[in-house]
Each structure stands twice: as structure tokens, then as C-alpha cells.
Amino acid sequence: MKKLALHWQILIGMLLGILFGLGMTYVDGGSTFVSNWIKPLGTIFVKLLKLIAVPLIIASLVKGISDLKDISKFRNIGLKTIFIYIGTTVLAITLGLLLVNVVKPGDGISEETIHKLTETYANSGGVQEKIAEATKQRSSGPLQFIVDMVPDNAIKAMGSNKSMLQVIFFTIFLGLSMLLVGEKKSKPLKKFFDSLNEVVLKMVDLIMLFAPYAVFALLANVVVSSNDPDLLVALLKYALTVVGGLILMVIVYMVLISVFTKKNPLWFLQQISPAQLLAFSTSSSAATLPVTMERVEEHVGVDKEVSSFVLPVGATINMDGTSLYQAVASVFIAQALGFDLTFGDQLTIILTALLASIGSAAVPGAGMVMLVIVLEAVGFPADKLAIGLALIFAVDRPLDMCRTVINVTGDATVATLVAKSVGKLGKPQPKNWDDNYDEVK
């Protein structure tokens, strides 16, 4: 009997998780049961993915750079990657602005809904925490994000998934230094990282065996902890505007894949679908990174020399979905609260959202922090910031899940485009967790 494909297993797990969560909302103590006995399964899964993220980046990136044997090739890949990431991010923000100005979702929000949302969320710890974090980022210098990229302690940087850019900086520095000392002297170290890379990828395969059960737990918890349904309905027009923009971005990616790589876009989506489904379940590009790398390398055919650089960098600086959300959310808040935005303000949104995406962490809720920075950049009244965030806080979690899917899809798309442009897009070679099982059983 043929084994059910992983993406179908995950989809079934998601569907059952949603149904189970809905059922438990009608059971006395159901929410507590899910929180105590179901949620931990999803939490463990996410922690396992985060556990191997840093080792995978280090091993994969060192292997990719050391395999190049030519620094100029790395420069070529790096420049193309940054250029395409900036291009897709600007496109996403512009698309979001066009959509929100046409649909005008903020015009349909009643004073009663604004008052109720403000009462519910304006003084909540979540909103105040996001404002405080954004204020901290906003007060830093214009080059602070570059300063933050350079670690003063490599081991300390490796101890936090929030320091991903620092890990990438150190790893690139190490890989380039290995090239410069010559193949003979770097050979022992290269063999170590080659071996580590294979072992960590096998860990990804093993962790993914648990994925269908984990997404069941994650989705069940999201459903039972959802907010007031009436508020969600009131914000439906805004939410659909964001989702509509995100769907348009997927279409843009598919056009790019079809035109520049000559691959079937539907085939491409099928190959990366497990990473997309996990991105939806976890709301974290960083947590999904190991799976994204595995799918892009083994199932799409992108050479490790490309994927090992493009994907980790993308998980930290390429946030097309989040940037589109910034554009829609900022204009929506301005519309709802009667704050007029000029054409110049909207150009400011494009620039600020682009810069904010580079320095933002690839973790759940980072989009809210970026949004505060964008709103402050266009002169939004400081005393209304909490009210503005309260307007969208109720639907932030489900939209965070959706925009993370676009972030991951964008990373995979750019990796494929860069690989094609440098002749590093080959034939897919999928591996299974039990490929070498006969040797050890």
C-alpha cells in the first residue's frame, strides 16, 4: 500500500485539530484540557525544530560556501539574493497599499466596534509589550541593524534563535576563511561540517514523522483560545483584504517560477507544501527553516551552495507576507480612526516597512512590532497607538499564520530563482528517514 504523502498527512492533522478544537469549545473545561494535555505536543515539536535550526544553518552554510571554491561565486549569489528579496518586498508592500486603498476596509468599522476593541485590548499586556519593543527599536540609530548583525560572542549568538543574523554572519566569516586557507588545510574541518549537515538533515526527517500530530495540537489550541467571534466578524473585511493580498503574492511567485525556471508552479507548490503548512501552524519562519531547507534542496532540486545562504538569510530579512500586512494594517487603522494619509505618507510606509522587515525577528508577533514602527514613521498620534493596535489584535494570530506562509513561500521562490540564475537548479533527490536503516538494525 502506498504511503500517504506528507502534505496530505499534515492537512488531515490540521483539519482534525480545527474540528477537535471547535468541539472542545462547547465542553466544560475543554479549553483547559487542550491547554494542559494537547498544546504541549505542539510546543515540543516547535522546540525540536528550533533546536536544530542553528546547527543546520552553521553546517549547511559552511558546507555550501566551502563547496564553492571561489569567493566571487558567493558574492554573485549574495548580491542576487539581496536584490531579489528587496524587489519582492517592495512589490508586496505596494500590492498591499493598492488593495487597501481600493477596498477601504476601515471605512466600515463602527464607533461601537472601535470602543469595544479598545476596551478589550488597548491596555492588554500584548499591545503594551509590542509598543515598548517598537519604541526601543525606533530609538536606535539608522545603522543599528548592521551593528546588531555582528556578534561579540559567537557561542552566545548560537544560544538564541533571535540572533539568527549574527549566526549567519559568523558562519559566512568562517566559511570564507576556510576558502582562504586552502583546500588542504580546511579539509578536516570541512569533513566535520559535511557530516554534521547530513546528521542534522536526518534529524529533520525524524522530527517530520511527528508533524501531523503536532499540527493537530497546534491548531486545536489556536481554535480554543480564539477571541470574541463577534469582533472577528466585525474585522472580517480587513482580514479578507490582507488574505486577498497574500493570495495575490502567491500568484506573483508562481508567475516568477513559471517564467524564469520553466517549472510547473503547481508542482513547485506541492513540493514545498509541508513547509507552508508548518509555517501556518507555527507562525514562525525560523521554526520552519529546517523543513524549508530540506524541501527546497531535496524536493525542488536547489543546490546546497545556494539554499544554505538564501534560505537562512530569507528567514530573517525577507518578510513579504508581513510587509504586505504592514501596508494594509497601517492604512486600515488610519481609515478607521480618521487619520488622513497623503501620497507621501504611503511612500514612507513602503520605505519604513522595507527597513523594518530587515531588522525584525522571524518569530510570532514580530509583525505587530513592525507595524508600530511604520505608524510612528507617518506621524500617527502616539496617544492613539494602543487603540490602533487594539483594532487588529483580535485577528492578528490567524493573519500571522497566513502571512508566515507567504514569507516561507517567498524564501523558497527566491532560492529557486537564484539557483536557476547561477546554474545550480538540478534534479530533485528526496531522502527518507529510513534510507540507511538496514545498516544499523
Side-chain angles (χ1 to χ4, degrees):
M1 182 178 175
K2 188 177 180 180
K3 186 179 178 182
L4 196 62
L6 180 61
H7 61 276
W8 287 117
Q9 294 181 42
I10 295 175
L11 270 174
I12 291 170
M14 290 173 68
L15 180 61
L16 292 177
I18 292 170
L19 294 174
F20 181 76
L22 286 171
M24 293 305 284
T25 57
Y26 296 102
V27 176
D28 288 338
S31 178
T32 304
F33 174 81
V34 171
S35 180
N36 290 339
W37 296 97
I38 305 298
K39 181 184 175 183
L41 299 177
T43 303
I44 290 169
F45 177 75
V46 174
K47 290 178 77 171
L48 284 172
L49 288 174
K50 289 182 176 180
L51 170 71
I52 62 171
V54 170
L56 180 60
I57 287 173
I58 295 172
S60 187
L61 196 46
V62 169
K63 175 176 171 52
I65 294 174
S66 59
D67 282 346
L68 286 173
K69 299 183 175 63
D70 184 353
I71 293 180
S72 63
K73 289 183 181 178
F74 176 74
R75 182 182 61 204
N76 189 24
I77 291 172
L79 289 174
K80 286 184 177 181
T81 298
I82 301 301
F83 177 76
I84 297 174
Y85 275 149
I86 290 174
T88 58
T89 302
V90 170
L91 180 62
I93 299 166
T94 306
L95 196 60
L97 286 174
L98 289 172
L99 206 58
V100 73
N101 279 292
V102 170
V103 178
K104 291 183 168 54
D107 291 353
I109 299 294
S110 66
E111 289 292 331
E112 182 186 350
T113 301
I114 292 174
H115 179 70
K116 188 175 182 181
L117 286 165
T118 304
E119 270 192 342
T120 307
Y121 298 109
N123 296 312
S124 71
V127 167
Q128 297 303 321
E129 181 186 331
K130 299 293 187 294
I131 293 175
E133 177 61 29
T135 303
K136 178 182 172 185
Q137 288 191 28
R138 179 97 170 127
S139 62
S140 59
L143 297 180
Q144 187 60 42
F145 75 96
I146 297 177
V147 175
D148 292 340
M149 282 174 57
V150 183
D152 56 7
N153 186 320
I155 305 301
K156 181 181 176 182
M158 293 175 199
S160 172
N161 282 353
K162 293 181 180 179
S163 304
M164 207 70 84
L165 277 177
Q166 294 188 353
V167 174
I168 293 169
F169 178 89
F170 169 75
T171 309
I172 291 174
F173 195 18
L174 176 63
L176 293 177
S177 299
M178 286 173 62
L179 281 178
L180 291 171
V181 300
E183 189 175 348
K184 185 176 180 181
K185 291 181 180 177
S186 64
K187 189 175 180 180
L189 194 56
K190 185 180 185 308
K191 288 180 70 175
F192 167 76
F193 282 113
D194 286 354
S195 178
L196 178 63
N197 180 68
E198 290 297 326
V199 172
V200 176
L201 283 175
K202 187 59 65 177
M203 292 172 75
V204 176
D205 290 337
L206 292 171
I207 293 170
M208 288 302 289
L209 294 175
F210 185 53
Y213 311 101
V215 296
F216 168 86
L218 290 166
L219 266 295
N221 182 64
V222 167
V223 171
V224 298
S225 59
S226 61
N227 299 289
D228 187 339
D230 293 335
L231 292 179
L232 300 182
V233 171
L235 295 171
L236 187 61
K237 191 176 179 183
Y238 156 70
L240 289 176
T241 304
V242 175
V243 172
L246 298 178
I247 292 172
L248 287 176
M249 274 309 294
V250 173
I251 294 172
V252 169
Y253 295 142
M254 296 307 94
V255 170
L256 292 173
I257 289 293
S258 178
V259 171
F260 292 103
T261 71
K262 308 303 179 187
K263 298 277 188 183
N264 185 328
L266 297 179
W267 170 86
F268 176 78
L269 284 179
Q270 183 182 357
Q271 302 315 305
I272 65 168
S273 56
Q276 292 174 311
L277 295 171
L278 285 183
F280 182 80
S281 304
T282 63
S283 299
S284 172
S285 302
T288 313
L289 179 59
V291 181
T292 309
M293 294 181 73
E294 187 258 352
R295 299 305 298 188
V296 167
E297 289 171 13
E298 297 181 13
H299 297 264
V300 177
V302 174
D303 196 285
K304 191 174 292 295
E305 294 174 12
V306 175
S307 64
S308 60
F309 173 77
V310 177
L311 293 174
V313 170
T316 51
I317 72 168
N318 180 55
M319 298 193 176
D320 293 348
T322 306
S323 298
L324 184 145
Y325 154 83
Q326 309 302 314
V328 176
S330 54
V331 177
F332 165 76
I333 290 170
Q335 290 171 350
L337 297 181
F339 181 77
D340 291 329
L341 290 172
T342 65
F343 179 73
D345 289 334
Q346 303 215 20
L347 289 179
T348 302
I349 289 174
I350 294 176
L351 180 60
T352 310
L354 174 63
L355 294 175
S357 70
I358 295 173
S360 180
V363 295
M368 272 278 196
V369 176
M370 292 167 61
L371 179 59
V372 176
I373 296 172
V374 172
L375 287 172
E376 288 182 338
V378 295
F380 193 79
D383 59 336
K384 288 188 176 181
L385 271 178
I387 298 173
L389 292 193
L391 287 180
I392 61 171
F393 201 80
V395 291
D396 184 63
R397 174 62 174 170
L399 290 183
D400 196 8
M401 297 163 74
C402 293
R403 61 186 184 248
T404 306
V405 174
I406 305 306
N407 293 343
V408 168
T409 306
D411 295 344
T413 300
V414 174
T416 308
L417 294 176
V418 172
K420 179 66 175 180
S421 71
V422 296
K424 295 290 181 181
L425 184 60
K427 187 178 179 181
Q429 294 180 323
K431 297 178 183 177
N432 297 308
W433 73 271
D434 56 353
D435 284 344
N436 303 307
Y437 186 66
D438 290 340
E439 297 177 18
V440 295
K441 70 177 182 180

